[in-house]
Amino acid sequence: MKKTSTAAILALSAACVFSTGAKAQEAYFPIVAKGFSHQFWQAVKAGADKAAKANGVKITFEGPETEAQIDKQTDILNAAIAKKPQGLGFAALDSKAQVPALKKAATAGIPIVAFDSGVDSDLPLTTCSTDNKTAAAAAADKMAEAIGGKGEIAAEIHDQTSATGIGRRDGFLNRIKEKYPDIKVVEVQYANDALKAADDIKAMLQAHPNIKGIFASNEGAAIGLAVALKESGKKIVGIGFDSGKTQKDAIKSGALLGSITQNPVGIGECVVNSLAKAVKGEKLPKIIDTGYYWYDKNNMNDPKIAAVLYD
């Protein structure tokens, strides 16, 4: 399939804007997220709503009930495109499968801004996202430090189809492989749902009784990790990703060592601000890094950290 270049997208977008007389303050942007099952998405929505008000635009925030529903997300995406909006925000559950739908949007002259997870295409004008590989590598460094640089560890990754799942898995595993030869990764499992993640992790602990630490790559996986450690009575190093009340409470209690948090409100703001700029014909960078932070019970009350945590 022939790719549409960024320059062509911009030209199409400009043509659409000028032919309709649309202005940024009159624009409508559907924002299609991965789902609503985690508080992370509510925080992204809060940022998007804030930016929509600031830019004088109308948005809708949509997504499937769970992050396992790739086909349903594609249906939502196609329905959003059919409304002929002035711009589209999209967080892909599958970095490849949803490219054909995005191509329809680009052909119609609809500017696309990806967020959280990018796609295997140059169709989005920009992607508002954490540098997931770098953030997960930081989690690997924290794990290595906590277990003394040697021993068995495992990982629970939220999926193996999205850019976030792939990036966090590879960022964590590659850092361990490259920097810590005395650490052995004995198992990697996949679950986005907290209950399945908990079952996976309890099975890991039974199969590998010498595990010293486990990394969980998103809110659901991290909640599952906290539950599994509590139910199994195992005292190992647990490191999560994202935030949410359950994960924060687990860190405060010492059940988990800490987590990497993204900036979900900032991601939501970035999407809408970028679409508003695209409608005005402004050029956007290919990637907008929205940042990440390590947090644990010692720095959770730091104003800079507290600002990017959510319940």
Side-chain angles (χ1 to χ4, degrees):
M1 182 175 67
K2 184 179 179 181
K3 290 185 176 180
T4 305
S5 69
T6 301
I9 302 284
L10 286 167
L12 287 166
S13 301
C16 177
V17 171
F18 293 137
S19 66
T20 61
K23 296 180 181 178
Q25 62 266 29
E26 300 170 340
Y28 161 58
F29 306 142
I31 312 298
V32 180
K34 289 182 178 180
F36 289 100
S37 58
H38 303 314
Q39 289 301 310
F40 175 84
W41 299 111
Q42 297 303 318
V44 175
K45 180 180 183 297
D49 287 338
K50 180 180 177 182
K53 184 176 181 180
N55 285 284
V57 300
K58 177 184 176 183
I59 69 165
T60 51
F61 197 91
E62 311 165 65
E65 287 81 10
T66 76
E67 295 179 31
Q69 297 172 302
I70 296 173
D71 289 344
K72 183 163 185 183
Q73 193 197 37
T74 302
D75 291 341
I76 293 170
L77 176 61
N78 282 318
I81 294 167
K83 295 175 184 176
K84 300 179 180 179
Q86 283 70 53
L88 170 69
F90 182 59
L93 280 172
D94 190 307
S95 61
K96 298 180 185 294
Q98 290 151 330
V99 170
L102 294 179
K103 189 174 182 183
K104 287 193 293 186
T107 301
I110 301 170
I112 303 162
V113 169
F115 66 102
D116 186 66
S117 277
V119 293
D120 288 348
S121 167
D122 64 357
L123 293 170
L125 300 180
T126 191
T127 299
C128 299
S129 177
T130 305
D131 184 336
N132 286 290
K133 285 188 176 181
T134 301
D141 289 335
K142 291 290 184 179
M143 176 70 75
E145 179 184 1
I147 67 170
K150 60 183 178 180
E152 294 181 353
I153 64 170
E156 186 76 22
I157 307 300
H158 57 283
D159 68 54
Q160 50 190 323
T161 58
S162 73
T164 58
I166 295 166
R168 292 177 201 172
R169 177 195 65 196
D170 293 352
F172 183 84
L173 297 180
N174 290 345
R175 177 58 63 88
I176 294 294
K177 181 179 179 181
E178 292 164 3
K179 194 172 176 182
Y180 304 104
D182 294 329
I183 296 178
K184 181 181 180 182
V185 179
V186 294
E187 193 166 348
V188 177
Q189 290 293 339
Y190 296 89
N192 196 7
D193 175 77
L195 292 176
K196 184 178 184 306
D199 288 342
D200 283 352
I201 291 164
K202 284 186 280 188
M204 286 180 190
L205 293 170
Q206 190 168 26
H208 306 282
N210 295 322
I211 282 179
K212 288 177 141 186
I214 296 177
F215 168 61
S217 70
N218 82 340
E219 182 182 346
I223 292 171
L225 173 57
V227 169
L229 294 182
K230 181 179 180 181
E231 292 182 355
S232 68
K234 284 278 190 177
K235 299 296 183 183
I236 67 168
V237 176
I239 290 178
F241 209 107
D242 292 327
S243 185
K245 186 178 187 305
T246 301
Q247 190 171 180
K248 287 165 63 179
D249 287 347
I251 292 169
K252 289 175 183 176
S253 72
L256 297 180
L257 175 67
S259 288
I260 299 289
T261 181
Q262 303 182 79
N263 180 6
V265 173
I267 290 173
E269 291 176 333
C270 175
V271 176
V272 176
N273 288 338
S274 297
L275 287 170
K277 290 177 181 178
V279 167
K280 296 173 185 176
E282 296 182 29
K283 187 173 176 62
L284 300 170
K286 282 305 291 181
I287 300 289
I288 300 175
D289 184 354
T290 50
Y292 71 89
Y293 301 91
W294 165 261
Y295 70 100
D296 55 31
K297 62 183 178 182
N298 297 317
N299 71 348
M300 288 176 70
N301 294 324
D302 182 308
K304 183 172 70 174
I305 302 298
V308 295
L309 300 180
Y310 53 91
D311 287 333

